[in-house]
Amino acid sequence: MSEATSSGLSKTYDPKQVEAMRYAWWSEKGFFKADVKGGGKPFSIVMPPPNVTGSLHLGHALDNTLQDILSRFKRMQGYNVLWVPGTDHAGIATQAKVEEALSKEGVSKYDLGRDAFLERVWDWKHQYGNRITTQLRTLGTSCDWSRERFTMDEGCSEAVQEVFIRLYEKGLIYRGNRIINWCPKCQTTISDIEVEHEERGGHLWHIRYPVQGGDGEVVVATTRPETMLGDTAVAVHPDDDRYKHLIGKMVVLPIVNRPIPVIADAYVDPAFGTGVVKITPAHDPNDFEVGLRHNLPQITVMTKEALMNDEAGPYAGLDRYECRKRIVGDLEAQGYLVKVNDHVHAVGQCYRCDTVVEPMVSPQWFVRMKPLAEPAMEVVKDGRLKFVPERFTKIYLGWLENIRDWCISRQLWWGHRIPVWYCDDCDYIYCGRADERPDVCPKCGASHFEQDPDVLDTWFSSGLWPFSTLGWPEKTEELAKYYPTSVLVTGRDIIFFWVARMVFLGLEFMGEVPFREVFIHGLILDAQGRKMSKSLGNGVDPIEVIDQYGADTLRFMLVTGNTPGNDIRFQFERLEGTRNFANKIWNASRFVLMNLEGFKSHQPWGELTLADRWILSRYNRLIGETTAALEQYDLGEAARLIYEFLWNEYCDWYIELAKPRLYGKEPGANDAAASRQTAQKVLAHVLRGTLELLHPFMPFLTEEIWQQLPHHGESIMIAPWPEGEPEFINASVEEEMALVMDVIRAIRNIRAEMNVAPGKRAEVILVSGNEEHRRVLAGGAAYIVNLASASEVEIEGTGYGQPEGAATAIVGDTSIYLPLKGLIDLTKEIDRLTKELRAVESEVRRLGGKLNNAGFIAKAPAEVVAKEREKEGEALRKKSALEERLRTLTSLGT
């Protein structure tokens, strides 16, 4: 075991000096690397791969801090830990970034062509793609960087191709002309869960559709009159008596005068609008399904740029919203517009660019979801996969129960190209590896094949992440040892995007869940509870925070007050508090190190005092409680426990209690040297162990201090996780010390209230009818003298009368008396308190007048009134306390 040294700790803690040096040292020593051939129970995590387009944001900082805490904790517990880092190619986002850069050069992707454009994207990725991983190192992440993966590296790309081919051969991937969500700005389809719905104010237009032959009319209500140009029917509910006579007849579509049928379908809600709906199969997902049931034609009236096409007749070339205005005006002019109502409805937007998406019929590739979703639900129902917190199970199952087929093709150039080729001369489709593609078409003998131009949805490749990163489809040692992974740590916002897809793909290709547990955390909001966004300008750059406060401070702040699944608010005041905590630990550690001269770490415990036995009991209890909280993923609670122990018990109490022994000034000590050595041992033992508990949360600070303390091993990172010694846990000792501490607090409060100068020692009289309590207080008398500035402590039983002119307090069954005569200048103190009382009485009158004013109560907001009542209550309490103090002081002068 190394011995202590105080020379390594500077007077103040400077994170900038420590963090870069310590991280480089950890990396150089290989402490992050997993040993696939090594022993120890495996514990594995795959990092949710951040986009190569981005830089570290607070969501990444929280997510990776939580993963790092678990990895460091398990590593110290002796597990064989693998934490796989990596990044995502982020198809739409990355392509958009490169196209934006090209536009500044006056060049488009079409000017370059596909191959040259992709070269530019790869250049961009190499230039900017490592930025976020560099920043993750700054945060202190202990992942195995030697195993870093990228969703489009050679191995992951092979896995993507293999999965597509196998699903296609199994009939679970198909190509169909179906309705999809089209983003006019990104110029690609996006899946249902990539559409974000926002409530917006709009209108409900009621339009007259004449029945062909002059036999009346129907009125339809729509929020999108521009799509009526693509109507191919109107529908009513089959049981709606108002319209049964019209079913099977034709109505005339206004503006274009096209006859369309009246059909009956249970999809129609008779209570909505007029009970008649227009059916536009090419521009509405529900209408598309109705159209399939009734064999209706699909008329697309918009281009992929959301401009009206030739099918729109006189409106061709107009933007969809301009077309809406023109059509409404024409309907009104021609007498077809019945009325317009205000209407709030959900509008779908692209989650990448916020552009309103356009439902559109298009030939795309889909994954057939029902056969894949059922096993993914079963593993959660039977407990093979668990969500923490459990409430997210319902959200996961609800989505899978109502899932639609997944559109996986994207009209991009950057991404995994779909491994499908089409014969130019017939309808033959080849799906497979490029090097195995036939030279001639097996169907027609032609030799002209064209590969599908589309790429796969980014989530298709990231859905394979838990096994593709471990070497699948090869049967690697890593797969055998580390799959299934132990836990997935991720935000609640991507349960559908990512979690569910990893589960059903893991089950399909590995025959096992990709992870045993899913630890869900919330989002980081600003101090006002708003989501951070560029538009609000309320984002916080974690790298700037680290530059100012250090990585440990950011990490600990993000974790404290964080309960699984719940959102947390980012507040700079909490950063200041956490930095104070780091400085408190540093200063306390310097004090301990400076007082370990002559200490031998192997020496026996010696005779333990009440304070020693108390701190050892609290410390060993802390080990069990912290370990349990970490095992249950309650990381915020674990951090709180350590914080409370270090600040309130170890620093504020035990160090102060131990000081007389360290200085050889312990009253009544039989062997001052032995007592000093015991205090040194307890101080060093508890500090080192608590730093080891804190290490997963604040790795840099703890390593720096730990290296100076007596310790075994090369690094705190690989030190054994503290194991509690149950024989030290003693509830009676904790109760005894709690009584002594409560008495000390009460005496300090009396001194503060009575304005007794800190340097003046006072006699303390403690009266209790409980013999055991008197014994405990007698044993703690030296602590009371030391920490409550007592000149002497007198302990009496029941029947002892209250001394004259003494300030009093009560702790349980113990009465505390502090004779004030000679401690304070009575005249000056009475004058001071009298002035303070007058000021408080004035405030009480002011607040009372305000709150008795009926006009104020009627006009002021409820929260303002409540605040004023709170102020009045506080002022009244202060008034009562001042009056009591004045009575006590006045009695001294009589």
Side-chain angles (χ1 to χ4, degrees):
M1 174 177 272
S2 71
E3 296 303 328
T5 170
S6 62
S7 60
L9 294 188
S10 58
K11 191 172 181 181
T12 57
Y13 177 56
D14 183 357
K16 287 184 179 178
Q17 283 189 349
V18 171
E19 292 178 352
M21 177 271 291
R22 282 295 170 198
Y23 197 88
W25 179 70
W26 288 330
S27 300
E28 180 188 331
K29 290 289 185 179
F31 294 145
F32 302 156
K33 289 185 178 180
D35 182 2
V36 72
K37 298 183 186 297
K41 187 178 178 181
F43 178 85
S44 52
I45 295 184
V46 289
M47 177 186 291
N51 295 347
V52 290
T53 57
S55 56
L56 191 70
H57 59 63
L58 281 175
H60 292 131
L62 171 63
D63 196 80
N64 284 279
T65 294
L66 297 176
Q67 291 173 78
D68 193 48
I69 289 168
L70 293 175
S71 297
R72 290 178 183 270
F73 167 53
K74 291 297 182 181
R75 195 179 286 118
M76 293 174 75
Q77 281 191 315
Y79 283 77
N80 188 325
V81 174
L82 170 63
W83 180 14
V84 180
T87 49
D88 195 305
H89 65 280
I92 295 174
T94 304
Q95 179 158 325
K97 288 274 188 183
V98 177
E99 287 193 64
E100 184 183 327
L102 285 173
S103 68
K104 292 175 181 176
E105 301 172 20
V107 178
S108 77
K109 65 179 182 180
Y110 301 106
D111 296 329
L112 294 177
R114 186 167 193 144
D115 290 343
F117 175 76
L118 289 177
E119 285 181 19
R120 289 292 294 267
V121 183
W122 277 108
D123 289 343
W124 193 94
K125 185 265 176 189
H126 293 314
Q127 184 176 354
Y128 296 106
N130 294 332
R131 176 173 50 187
I132 196 164
T133 56
T134 300
Q135 293 173 331
L136 286 171
R137 288 174 169 87
T138 305
L139 185 67
T141 51
S142 63
C143 40
D144 187 345
W145 293 107
S146 69
R147 297 174 185 272
E148 183 179 353
R149 302 303 301 270
F150 175 54
T151 49
M152 282 182 62
D153 66 26
E154 187 176 347
C156 289
S157 295
E158 183 185 350
V160 168
Q161 179 179 259
E162 186 69 22
V163 165
F164 186 98
I165 293 167
R166 291 192 194 182
L167 289 175
Y168 178 83
E169 291 172 347
K170 200 172 179 179
L172 293 175
I173 282 184
Y174 65 93
R175 193 168 190 257
N177 202 45
R178 299 181 61 81
I179 197 148
I180 49 87
N181 306 294
W182 181 264
C183 176
K185 183 174 181 182
C186 296
Q187 283 292 291
T188 181
T189 179
I190 57 176
S191 65
D192 291 343
I193 56 174
E194 292 171 311
V195 178
E196 294 182 342
H197 291 89
E198 180 183 280
E199 291 289 323
R200 288 190 183 182
H203 297 94
L204 197 60
W205 285 273
H206 292 71
I207 305 169
R208 195 190 321 274
Y209 283 47
V211 177
Q212 194 175 41
D215 188 17
E217 64 186 24
V218 294
V219 176
V220 303
T222 180
T223 59
R224 304 188 66 211
E226 68 275 13
T227 64
M228 68 180 288
L229 303 171
D231 287 359
T232 54
V234 295
V236 298
H237 194 278
D239 299 330
D240 193 334
D241 292 334
R242 293 174 294 175
Y243 304 114
K244 278 185 177 179
H245 67 288
L246 293 177
I247 296 171
K249 292 189 176 183
M250 306 291 281
V251 295
V252 179
L253 182 62
I255 305 292
V256 294
N257 297 319
R258 183 170 67 241
I260 56 176
V262 179
I263 61 172
D265 197 284
Y267 154 71
V268 179
D269 178 3
F272 179 76
T274 62
V276 183
V277 296
K278 58 194 275 310
I279 302 298
T280 320
H283 290 283
D284 182 277
N286 295 312
D287 292 3
F288 177 81
E289 299 297 334
V290 173
L292 291 180
R293 289 196 288 273
H294 297 271
N295 199 29
L296 297 175
Q298 300 164 354
I299 302 175
T300 300
V301 297
M302 287 186 211
T303 69
K304 291 180 176 179
E305 292 74 28
L307 303 175
M308 307 311 291
N309 65 15
D310 291 342
E311 292 286 353
Y315 308 102
L318 292 178
D319 167 81
R320 53 185 165 170
Y321 299 119
E322 180 60 30
C323 176
R324 178 182 296 178
K325 291 179 187 175
R326 297 271 189 97
I327 282 184
V328 169
D330 291 346
L331 288 169
E332 187 172 20
Q334 295 175 32
Y336 291 116
L337 187 63
V338 178
K339 62 178 178 178
V340 182
N341 294 338
D342 290 337
H343 179 65
V344 175
H345 62 128
V347 177
Q349 301 174 165
C350 173
Y351 83 116
R352 289 284 184 195
C353 67
D354 297 331
T355 302
V356 174
V357 298
E358 190 60 52
M360 197 172 285
V361 173
S362 173
Q364 302 288 342
W365 288 94
F366 296 86
V367 174
R368 209 177 300 280
M369 285 306 308
K370 191 171 177 57
L372 295 170
E374 287 174 353
M377 290 188 284
E378 193 59 37
V379 294
V380 171
K381 291 175 181 176
D382 66 21
R384 278 181 282 165
L385 174 64
K386 294 180 180 178
F387 281 84
V388 181
E390 196 274 335
R391 68 178 184 271
F392 288 100
T393 302
K394 186 176 180 182
I395 296 171
Y396 168 90
L397 290 174
W399 183 67
L400 285 174
E401 284 164 359
N402 299 289
I403 200 166
R404 291 167 36 162
D405 285 356
W406 173 18
C407 178
I408 55 171
S409 45
R410 297 289 181 269
Q411 289 63 57
L412 303 169
W413 287 355
W414 172 244
H416 294 99
R417 188 95 174 254
I418 291 176
V420 167
W421 284 259
Y422 307 100
C423 175
D424 288 349
D425 295 341
C426 70
D427 58 358
Y428 176 74
I429 295 177
Y430 166 76
C431 175
R433 295 161 192 81
D435 57 359
E436 295 176 4
R437 194 190 71 210
D439 293 329
V440 295
C441 176
K443 186 174 181 181
C444 71
S447 58
H448 303 106
F449 285 94
E450 290 290 335
Q451 186 173 2
D452 193 302
D454 290 351
V455 300
L456 289 165
D457 177 11
T458 296
W459 298 101
F460 190 93
S461 54
S462 57
L464 317 181
W465 195 242
F467 55 92
S468 65
T469 53
L470 298 177
W472 189 92
E474 299 298 321
K475 293 182 178 179
T476 64
E477 290 180 290
E478 286 79 4
L479 268 176
K481 191 174 189 78
Y482 297 113
Y483 189 94
T485 61
S486 306
V487 60
L488 175 74
V489 180
T490 192
R492 62 173 173 79
D493 52 335
I494 57 172
I495 293 174
F496 310 142
F497 283 96
W498 194 41
V499 179
R501 286 166 174 167
M502 283 189 287
V503 175
F504 64 67
L505 288 168
L507 289 169
E508 176 68 19
F509 291 97
M510 294 296 298
E512 182 57 280
V513 291
F515 22 75
R516 304 292 187 193
E517 295 174 300
V518 182
F519 172 25
I520 300 289
H521 60 77
L523 306 178
I524 299 185
L525 310 176
D526 69 6
Q528 298 175 44
R530 303 173 301 175
K531 190 173 180 179
M532 292 186 177
S533 67
K534 289 180 181 177
S535 59
L536 290 174
N538 61 346
V540 175
D541 183 346
I543 297 301
E544 290 183 6
V545 174
I546 291 171
D547 285 344
Q548 185 175 354
Y549 293 92
D552 283 338
T553 296
L554 174 62
R555 289 166 61 110
F556 199 78
M557 189 281 290
L558 289 173
V559 173
T560 47
N562 181 2
T563 53
N566 292 333
D567 296 340
I568 62 171
R569 295 192 181 192
F570 183 93
Q571 295 168 313
F572 279 97
E573 298 80 12
R574 291 181 57 224
L575 275 175
E576 295 287 349
T578 305
R579 179 164 63 182
N580 292 342
F581 177 54
N583 289 335
K584 181 100 169 177
I585 297 167
W586 186 264
N587 292 333
S589 300
R590 286 188 76 247
F591 172 82
V592 171
L593 288 165
M594 286 189 294
N595 285 280
L596 290 185
E597 185 180 350
F599 171 59
K600 303 298 181 188
S601 55
H602 57 273
Q603 68 191 32
W605 280 109
E607 186 178 347
L608 298 174
T609 64
L610 172 63
D612 294 336
R613 288 180 289 134
W614 166 72
I615 199 67
L616 287 169
S617 181
R618 297 296 302 143
Y619 164 65
N620 281 280
R621 197 180 295 280
L622 173 72
I623 292 171
E625 291 174 347
T626 302
T627 304
L630 285 167
E631 297 283 10
Q632 294 160 17
Y633 300 110
D634 198 349
L635 277 55
E637 174 62 6
R640 185 195 68 79
L641 289 166
I642 299 168
Y643 177 95
E644 295 287 347
F645 175 81
L646 268 173
W647 189 299
N648 297 331
E649 296 181 317
Y650 184 80
C651 293
D652 282 358
W653 283 99
Y654 184 71
I655 286 179
E656 296 304 316
L657 291 165
K659 279 180 178 178
R661 297 160 70 194
L662 295 174
Y663 302 153
K665 296 179 181 178
E666 182 184 15
N670 295 326
D671 186 341
S675 181
R676 180 174 185 270
Q677 288 178 356
T678 300
Q680 288 176 323
K681 186 174 180 70
V682 175
L683 279 165
H685 174 76
V686 174
L687 178 57
R688 185 187 68 247
T690 312
L691 289 173
E692 287 163 357
L693 296 177
L694 181 61
H695 174 72
F697 301 88
M698 304 179 83
F700 298 107
L701 175 79
T702 52
E703 179 76 87
E704 192 68 9
I705 299 170
W706 187 89
Q707 289 293 339
Q708 312 305 321
L709 285 166
H711 64 266
H712 286 291
E714 197 172 1
S715 168
I716 194 173
M717 256 194 75
I718 52 175
W721 184 254
E723 292 187 12
E725 297 172 274
E727 64 271 21
F728 279 117
I729 298 177
N730 190 320
S732 296
V733 165
E734 292 182 31
E735 288 173 10
E736 290 177 15
M737 194 66 204
L739 174 59
V740 174
M741 291 160 67
D742 286 344
V743 166
I744 291 170
R745 287 191 194 97
I747 297 169
R748 286 172 169 175
N749 287 340
I750 293 174
R751 293 177 63 96
E753 287 173 1
M754 295 302 172
N755 207 26
V756 177
K760 286 192 175 181
R761 291 196 168 268
E763 179 190 2
V764 173
I765 303 165
L766 306 176
V767 179
S768 173
N770 186 311
E771 184 179 348
E772 176 61 19
H773 287 178
R774 291 199 301 273
R775 181 192 67 78
V776 171
L777 292 170
Y783 301 147
I784 298 170
V785 167
N786 181 32
L787 298 187
S789 297
S791 57
E792 59 178 305
V793 178
E794 184 180 339
I795 299 170
E796 302 290 348
T798 306
Y800 184 87
Q802 178 174 346
E804 284 188 15
T808 66
I810 296 175
V811 171
D813 65 359
T814 301
S815 296
I816 302 167
Y817 300 112
L818 193 72
L820 295 174
K821 199 163 187 177
L823 287 178
I824 56 177
D825 184 324
L826 281 176
T827 305
K828 284 178 67 176
E829 189 61 16
I830 289 171
D831 286 348
R832 184 184 72 81
L833 290 176
T834 302
K835 287 177 184 174
E836 194 174 341
L837 177 60
R838 284 173 186 156
V840 171
E841 287 172 338
S842 174
E843 178 69 358
V844 168
R845 286 193 297 273
R846 184 188 71 80
L847 290 165
K850 198 172 187 180
L851 290 167
N852 288 323
N853 184 329
F856 170 74
I857 299 296
K859 294 178 183 177
E863 60 270 21
V864 172
V865 175
K867 191 74 176 172
E868 294 301 294
R869 291 197 191 282
E870 190 180 317
K871 287 180 185 176
E872 183 187 40
E874 180 59 34
L876 286 168
R877 285 189 291 273
K878 190 173 182 181
K879 176 176 175 285
S880 178
L882 286 167
E883 287 170 341
E884 178 59 34
R885 276 188 254 167
L886 274 168
R887 275 193 294 272
T888 301
L889 293 177
T890 303
S891 71
L892 286 174
T894 59

